[in-house]
Short mmCIF file of all heavy atoms in Angstrom, two decimals:
data_model
loop_
_atom_site.label_atom_id
_atom_site.label_comp_id
_atom_site.label_asym_id
_atom_site.label_seq_id
_atom_site.Cartn_x
_atom_site.Cartn_y
_atom_site.Cartn_z
N ASN A 1 6.74 6.70 4.32
CA ASN A 1 8.17 6.50 4.36
C ASN A 1 8.56 5.23 3.59
O ASN A 1 8.34 4.12 4.05
CB ASN A 1 8.64 6.41 5.82
CG ASN A 1 10.15 6.33 5.92
OD1 ASN A 1 10.82 5.72 5.10
ND2 ASN A 1 10.69 6.95 6.95
N LYS A 2 9.12 5.43 2.40
CA LYS A 2 9.46 4.30 1.52
C LYS A 2 10.54 3.41 2.14
O LYS A 2 10.59 2.22 1.88
CB LYS A 2 9.92 4.78 0.15
CG LYS A 2 8.92 5.68 -0.58
CD LYS A 2 7.67 4.93 -1.01
CE LYS A 2 6.66 5.84 -1.65
NZ LYS A 2 5.75 6.52 -0.73
N ASN A 3 11.43 3.99 2.97
CA ASN A 3 12.47 3.19 3.61
C ASN A 3 11.88 2.22 4.61
O ASN A 3 12.31 1.06 4.70
CB ASN A 3 13.51 4.08 4.30
CG ASN A 3 14.33 4.86 3.28
OD1 ASN A 3 14.46 4.45 2.13
ND2 ASN A 3 14.84 5.99 3.70
N ASP A 4 10.89 2.67 5.38
CA ASP A 4 10.22 1.79 6.34
C ASP A 4 9.54 0.65 5.59
O ASP A 4 9.61 -0.51 6.00
CB ASP A 4 9.16 2.56 7.15
CG ASP A 4 9.79 3.54 8.12
OD1 ASP A 4 11.03 3.49 8.31
OD2 ASP A 4 9.05 4.36 8.70
N TRP A 5 8.89 1.00 4.49
CA TRP A 5 8.20 0.00 3.66
C TRP A 5 9.21 -1.04 3.15
O TRP A 5 9.00 -2.24 3.30
CB TRP A 5 7.50 0.71 2.50
CG TRP A 5 6.86 -0.17 1.49
CD1 TRP A 5 5.85 -1.08 1.70
CD2 TRP A 5 7.14 -0.24 0.08
NE1 TRP A 5 5.51 -1.69 0.52
CE2 TRP A 5 6.27 -1.19 -0.48
CE3 TRP A 5 8.04 0.44 -0.75
CZ2 TRP A 5 6.28 -1.50 -1.85
CZ3 TRP A 5 8.04 0.13 -2.11
CH2 TRP A 5 7.18 -0.83 -2.65
N ALA A 6 10.32 -0.56 2.61
CA ALA A 6 11.34 -1.47 2.06
C ALA A 6 11.91 -2.39 3.14
O ALA A 6 12.12 -3.58 2.91
CB ALA A 6 12.46 -0.66 1.41
N LYS A 7 12.13 -1.83 4.33
CA LYS A 7 12.65 -2.63 5.45
C LYS A 7 11.71 -3.77 5.80
O LYS A 7 12.13 -4.92 5.98
CB LYS A 7 12.82 -1.75 6.69
CG LYS A 7 14.23 -1.28 6.91
CD LYS A 7 14.32 -0.55 8.25
CE LYS A 7 15.05 0.76 8.02
NZ LYS A 7 14.61 1.87 8.79
N VAL A 8 10.41 -3.46 5.88
CA VAL A 8 9.43 -4.48 6.24
C VAL A 8 9.29 -5.51 5.12
O VAL A 8 9.14 -6.70 5.39
CB VAL A 8 8.07 -3.84 6.61
CG1 VAL A 8 7.00 -4.90 6.77
CG2 VAL A 8 8.22 -3.05 7.90
N LEU A 9 9.39 -5.07 3.88
CA LEU A 9 9.35 -6.04 2.77
C LEU A 9 10.50 -7.03 2.91
O LEU A 9 10.32 -8.23 2.69
CB LEU A 9 9.43 -5.34 1.41
CG LEU A 9 8.20 -4.56 0.96
CD1 LEU A 9 8.41 -4.04 -0.45
CD2 LEU A 9 6.93 -5.39 1.05
N ASN A 10 11.68 -6.55 3.28
CA ASN A 10 12.83 -7.44 3.47
C ASN A 10 12.61 -8.41 4.61
O ASN A 10 13.00 -9.56 4.54
CB ASN A 10 14.11 -6.63 3.74
CG ASN A 10 14.71 -6.13 2.44
OD1 ASN A 10 14.52 -6.75 1.40
ND2 ASN A 10 15.41 -5.03 2.51
N LEU A 11 11.98 -7.93 5.68
CA LEU A 11 11.70 -8.78 6.83
C LEU A 11 10.64 -9.83 6.52
O LEU A 11 10.79 -11.00 6.85
CB LEU A 11 11.18 -7.93 7.99
CG LEU A 11 12.19 -7.15 8.81
CD1 LEU A 11 11.44 -6.23 9.78
CD2 LEU A 11 13.08 -8.12 9.59
N GLU A 12 9.55 -9.39 5.90
CA GLU A 12 8.38 -10.25 5.73
C GLU A 12 8.47 -11.18 4.53
O GLU A 12 7.80 -12.20 4.48
CB GLU A 12 7.10 -9.41 5.64
CG GLU A 12 6.80 -8.59 6.89
CD GLU A 12 6.32 -9.41 8.07
OE1 GLU A 12 6.23 -10.65 7.97
OE2 GLU A 12 6.02 -8.81 9.11
N ARG A 13 9.23 -10.80 3.53
CA ARG A 13 9.42 -11.66 2.34
C ARG A 13 8.10 -12.17 1.76
O ARG A 13 7.90 -13.37 1.62
CB ARG A 13 10.31 -12.85 2.68
CG ARG A 13 11.66 -12.45 3.22
CD ARG A 13 12.75 -12.74 2.21
NE ARG A 13 14.02 -12.18 2.64
CZ ARG A 13 14.70 -11.26 1.97
NH1 ARG A 13 14.22 -10.77 0.85
NH2 ARG A 13 15.85 -10.82 2.40
N MET A 14 7.22 -11.26 1.42
CA MET A 14 5.94 -11.66 0.81
C MET A 14 6.18 -11.90 -0.68
O MET A 14 6.63 -11.01 -1.38
CB MET A 14 4.90 -10.56 1.03
CG MET A 14 4.51 -10.39 2.48
SD MET A 14 3.38 -9.00 2.73
CE MET A 14 4.52 -7.62 2.89
N PRO A 15 5.89 -13.12 -1.17
CA PRO A 15 6.27 -13.49 -2.53
C PRO A 15 5.32 -13.00 -3.63
O PRO A 15 5.43 -13.44 -4.76
CB PRO A 15 6.30 -15.02 -2.47
CG PRO A 15 5.32 -15.37 -1.41
CD PRO A 15 5.34 -14.25 -0.42
N TRP A 16 4.40 -12.10 -3.31
CA TRP A 16 3.48 -11.61 -4.35
C TRP A 16 3.76 -10.14 -4.63
O TRP A 16 4.63 -9.53 -4.04
CB TRP A 16 2.02 -11.85 -3.93
CG TRP A 16 1.67 -11.27 -2.60
CD1 TRP A 16 1.23 -10.00 -2.34
CD2 TRP A 16 1.74 -11.92 -1.31
NE1 TRP A 16 1.03 -9.83 -1.00
CE2 TRP A 16 1.32 -10.99 -0.34
CE3 TRP A 16 2.11 -13.21 -0.91
CZ2 TRP A 16 1.26 -11.30 1.01
CZ3 TRP A 16 2.05 -13.52 0.45
CH2 TRP A 16 1.63 -12.57 1.39
N LYS A 17 2.97 -9.57 -5.54
CA LYS A 17 3.16 -8.20 -5.99
C LYS A 17 3.05 -7.19 -4.85
O LYS A 17 2.06 -7.18 -4.13
CB LYS A 17 2.11 -7.88 -7.07
CG LYS A 17 2.38 -6.60 -7.86
CD LYS A 17 1.22 -6.23 -8.75
CE LYS A 17 1.08 -7.12 -9.97
NZ LYS A 17 -0.03 -6.71 -10.84
N GLN A 18 4.10 -6.37 -4.70
CA GLN A 18 4.14 -5.34 -3.65
C GLN A 18 4.18 -3.97 -4.32
O GLN A 18 5.10 -3.68 -5.08
CB GLN A 18 5.40 -5.52 -2.79
CG GLN A 18 5.48 -6.86 -2.09
CD GLN A 18 4.37 -7.07 -1.07
OE1 GLN A 18 3.95 -6.13 -0.39
NE2 GLN A 18 3.89 -8.29 -0.96
N LEU A 19 3.17 -3.16 -4.02
CA LEU A 19 3.09 -1.82 -4.59
C LEU A 19 2.95 -0.81 -3.46
O LEU A 19 2.57 -1.15 -2.35
CB LEU A 19 1.88 -1.72 -5.53
CG LEU A 19 1.84 -2.72 -6.69
CD1 LEU A 19 0.50 -2.66 -7.41
CD2 LEU A 19 2.97 -2.47 -7.67
N VAL A 20 3.24 0.44 -3.78
CA VAL A 20 3.10 1.50 -2.77
C VAL A 20 2.47 2.72 -3.41
O VAL A 20 2.73 3.04 -4.57
CB VAL A 20 4.48 1.83 -2.11
CG1 VAL A 20 5.44 2.45 -3.11
CG2 VAL A 20 4.30 2.72 -0.88
N VAL A 21 1.60 3.37 -2.64
CA VAL A 21 0.96 4.61 -3.08
C VAL A 21 1.95 5.74 -2.81
O VAL A 21 2.43 5.90 -1.70
CB VAL A 21 -0.36 4.83 -2.29
CG1 VAL A 21 -0.94 6.19 -2.60
CG2 VAL A 21 -1.35 3.73 -2.62
N SER A 22 2.27 6.52 -3.86
CA SER A 22 3.34 7.51 -3.73
C SER A 22 2.87 8.94 -3.53
O SER A 22 3.67 9.80 -3.19
CB SER A 22 4.23 7.47 -4.98
OG SER A 22 4.78 6.19 -5.13
N ASN A 23 1.61 9.23 -3.82
CA ASN A 23 1.17 10.62 -3.69
C ASN A 23 -0.34 10.69 -3.45
O ASN A 23 -1.03 9.68 -3.47
CB ASN A 23 1.56 11.42 -4.94
CG ASN A 23 0.99 10.79 -6.20
OD1 ASN A 23 -0.17 10.41 -6.25
ND2 ASN A 23 1.82 10.69 -7.23
N GLU A 24 -0.82 11.90 -3.23
CA GLU A 24 -2.24 12.09 -2.91
C GLU A 24 -3.16 11.67 -4.05
O GLU A 24 -4.24 11.13 -3.81
CB GLU A 24 -2.52 13.55 -2.52
CG GLU A 24 -2.14 13.89 -1.10
CD GLU A 24 -2.70 12.90 -0.05
OE1 GLU A 24 -3.92 12.65 -0.05
OE2 GLU A 24 -1.92 12.38 0.76
N GLN A 25 -2.75 11.92 -5.30
CA GLN A 25 -3.59 11.53 -6.45
C GLN A 25 -3.78 10.02 -6.48
O GLN A 25 -4.88 9.53 -6.70
CB GLN A 25 -2.97 11.99 -7.78
CG GLN A 25 -3.02 13.47 -8.04
CD GLN A 25 -1.86 14.22 -7.38
OE1 GLN A 25 -1.07 13.67 -6.61
NE2 GLN A 25 -1.75 15.50 -7.69
N GLU A 26 -2.69 9.29 -6.25
CA GLU A 26 -2.78 7.84 -6.26
C GLU A 26 -3.67 7.36 -5.11
O GLU A 26 -4.50 6.48 -5.28
CB GLU A 26 -1.38 7.21 -6.14
CG GLU A 26 -0.55 7.40 -7.39
CD GLU A 26 0.87 6.84 -7.28
OE1 GLU A 26 1.23 6.27 -6.22
OE2 GLU A 26 1.60 6.98 -8.26
N LYS A 27 -3.48 7.98 -3.95
CA LYS A 27 -4.27 7.58 -2.78
C LYS A 27 -5.75 7.83 -3.05
O LYS A 27 -6.60 7.00 -2.74
CB LYS A 27 -3.81 8.35 -1.54
CG LYS A 27 -4.36 7.77 -0.25
CD LYS A 27 -3.82 8.49 0.98
CE LYS A 27 -2.53 7.85 1.46
NZ LYS A 27 -1.98 8.49 2.66
N GLU A 28 -6.04 8.98 -3.65
CA GLU A 28 -7.43 9.34 -3.95
C GLU A 28 -8.05 8.34 -4.93
O GLU A 28 -9.20 7.92 -4.76
CB GLU A 28 -7.47 10.74 -4.55
CG GLU A 28 -8.76 11.46 -4.30
CD GLU A 28 -8.63 12.93 -4.70
OE1 GLU A 28 -8.10 13.73 -3.91
OE2 GLU A 28 -9.08 13.25 -5.83
N ALA A 29 -7.29 7.95 -5.94
CA ALA A 29 -7.79 6.97 -6.91
C ALA A 29 -8.10 5.64 -6.21
O ALA A 29 -9.12 5.00 -6.51
CB ALA A 29 -6.76 6.76 -8.02
N MET A 30 -7.24 5.23 -5.26
CA MET A 30 -7.48 3.98 -4.52
C MET A 30 -8.74 4.10 -3.68
O MET A 30 -9.54 3.18 -3.60
CB MET A 30 -6.30 3.66 -3.58
CG MET A 30 -4.98 3.42 -4.26
SD MET A 30 -4.99 2.12 -5.50
CE MET A 30 -4.82 3.07 -6.98
N GLN A 31 -8.92 5.27 -3.06
CA GLN A 31 -10.09 5.48 -2.21
C GLN A 31 -11.37 5.40 -3.05
O GLN A 31 -12.34 4.76 -2.65
CB GLN A 31 -9.99 6.84 -1.50
CG GLN A 31 -8.94 6.83 -0.42
CD GLN A 31 -8.59 8.22 0.11
OE1 GLN A 31 -8.76 9.23 -0.58
NE2 GLN A 31 -8.09 8.28 1.32
N LEU A 32 -11.36 6.04 -4.20
CA LEU A 32 -12.54 6.04 -5.06
C LEU A 32 -12.83 4.65 -5.62
O LEU A 32 -13.96 4.17 -5.57
CB LEU A 32 -12.35 7.01 -6.23
CG LEU A 32 -12.43 8.49 -5.89
CD1 LEU A 32 -11.98 9.33 -7.07
CD2 LEU A 32 -13.85 8.86 -5.49
N GLN A 33 -11.80 4.00 -6.13
CA GLN A 33 -12.00 2.73 -6.81
C GLN A 33 -12.30 1.58 -5.85
O GLN A 33 -13.14 0.74 -6.12
CB GLN A 33 -10.78 2.38 -7.66
CG GLN A 33 -10.96 1.13 -8.48
CD GLN A 33 -12.09 1.26 -9.49
OE1 GLN A 33 -12.17 2.23 -10.23
NE2 GLN A 33 -13.00 0.31 -9.52
N PHE A 34 -11.60 1.57 -4.73
CA PHE A 34 -11.69 0.41 -3.84
C PHE A 34 -12.41 0.69 -2.53
O PHE A 34 -12.42 -0.13 -1.63
CB PHE A 34 -10.30 -0.15 -3.56
CG PHE A 34 -9.58 -0.58 -4.81
CD1 PHE A 34 -8.45 0.10 -5.24
CD2 PHE A 34 -10.06 -1.62 -5.59
CE1 PHE A 34 -7.80 -0.28 -6.40
CE2 PHE A 34 -9.42 -2.00 -6.76
CZ PHE A 34 -8.28 -1.33 -7.16
N LYS A 35 -13.00 1.90 -2.43
CA LYS A 35 -13.71 2.30 -1.20
C LYS A 35 -12.79 2.20 0.02
O LYS A 35 -13.19 1.80 1.10
CB LYS A 35 -14.98 1.46 -1.00
CG LYS A 35 -15.95 1.58 -2.17
CD LYS A 35 -17.24 0.88 -1.87
CE LYS A 35 -18.29 0.94 -2.96
NZ LYS A 35 -17.96 1.47 -4.25
N LEU A 36 -11.55 2.58 -0.20
CA LEU A 36 -10.55 2.56 0.87
C LEU A 36 -10.76 3.77 1.77
O LEU A 36 -10.88 4.88 1.30
CB LEU A 36 -9.14 2.63 0.25
CG LEU A 36 -7.96 2.88 1.16
CD1 LEU A 36 -7.68 1.67 2.05
CD2 LEU A 36 -6.72 3.21 0.34
N ASN A 37 -10.87 3.52 3.09
CA ASN A 37 -10.84 4.68 3.99
C ASN A 37 -9.56 4.56 4.79
O ASN A 37 -8.63 3.89 4.38
CB ASN A 37 -12.10 4.75 4.86
CG ASN A 37 -12.27 3.49 5.70
OD1 ASN A 37 -11.30 2.84 6.07
ND2 ASN A 37 -13.50 3.16 5.99
N SER A 38 -9.49 5.16 5.95
CA SER A 38 -8.21 5.16 6.65
C SER A 38 -7.99 3.89 7.46
O SER A 38 -6.93 3.70 8.05
CB SER A 38 -8.11 6.38 7.55
OG SER A 38 -9.25 6.42 8.39
N ALA A 39 -8.99 3.02 7.53
CA ALA A 39 -8.86 1.80 8.32
C ALA A 39 -8.12 0.71 7.54
O ALA A 39 -8.56 0.30 6.47
CB ALA A 39 -10.23 1.29 8.75
N ILE A 40 -6.97 0.30 8.07
CA ILE A 40 -6.22 -0.80 7.47
C ILE A 40 -5.89 -1.81 8.55
O ILE A 40 -5.91 -1.46 9.73
CB ILE A 40 -4.91 -0.31 6.78
CG1 ILE A 40 -4.05 0.48 7.76
CG2 ILE A 40 -5.22 0.47 5.51
CD1 ILE A 40 -2.68 0.84 7.25
N PRO A 41 -5.63 -3.07 8.25
CA PRO A 41 -5.61 -3.62 6.89
C PRO A 41 -7.01 -3.63 6.26
O PRO A 41 -7.99 -3.80 6.97
CB PRO A 41 -5.11 -5.05 7.11
CG PRO A 41 -5.46 -5.38 8.52
CD PRO A 41 -5.37 -4.09 9.26
N TYR A 42 -7.02 -3.42 4.98
CA TYR A 42 -8.27 -3.45 4.23
C TYR A 42 -8.04 -4.39 3.05
O TYR A 42 -7.15 -4.16 2.24
CB TYR A 42 -8.62 -2.04 3.75
CG TYR A 42 -9.82 -1.97 2.83
CD1 TYR A 42 -11.08 -2.41 3.26
CD2 TYR A 42 -9.71 -1.47 1.54
CE1 TYR A 42 -12.18 -2.35 2.41
CE2 TYR A 42 -10.81 -1.40 0.70
CZ TYR A 42 -12.04 -1.84 1.15
OH TYR A 42 -13.12 -1.77 0.31
N SER A 43 -8.82 -5.46 3.02
CA SER A 43 -8.68 -6.45 1.95
C SER A 43 -9.88 -6.38 1.04
O SER A 43 -11.01 -6.34 1.51
CB SER A 43 -8.59 -7.86 2.55
OG SER A 43 -7.54 -7.91 3.49
N VAL A 44 -9.62 -6.35 -0.24
CA VAL A 44 -10.72 -6.26 -1.20
C VAL A 44 -10.47 -7.24 -2.35
O VAL A 44 -9.36 -7.34 -2.86
CB VAL A 44 -10.91 -4.78 -1.66
CG1 VAL A 44 -9.66 -4.24 -2.33
CG2 VAL A 44 -12.09 -4.63 -2.58
#
């Protein structure tokens, strides 16, 4: 939910690059490249 994401960005005011995964292909690429599984927060 991009609206939930946007709301939290407004609340948290993190001053660095904020990106969002928009579809399954993007999510899959993140999983392959960064060994992301479903456990978050995940810092790499």
Side-chain angles (χ1 to χ4, degrees):
N1 185 324
K2 303 292 176 274
N3 292 335
D4 290 350
W5 174 61
K7 261 186 229 144
V8 171
L9 288 185
N10 278 333
L11 281 172
E12 298 287 2
R13 303 251 172 241
M14 294 175 274
W16 55 87
K17 193 189 287 182
Q18 300 295 324
L19 302 171
V20 66
V21 172
S22 301
N23 57 45
E24 281 309 308
Q25 288 85 352
E26 290 177 1
K27 193 176 271 181
E28 208 170 278
M30 297 304 109
Q31 288 168 335
L32 286 170
Q33 185 62 49
F34 301 114
K35 301 187 179 9
L36 169 70
N37 59 29
S38 54
I40 55 172
Y42 174 60
S43 305
V44 60

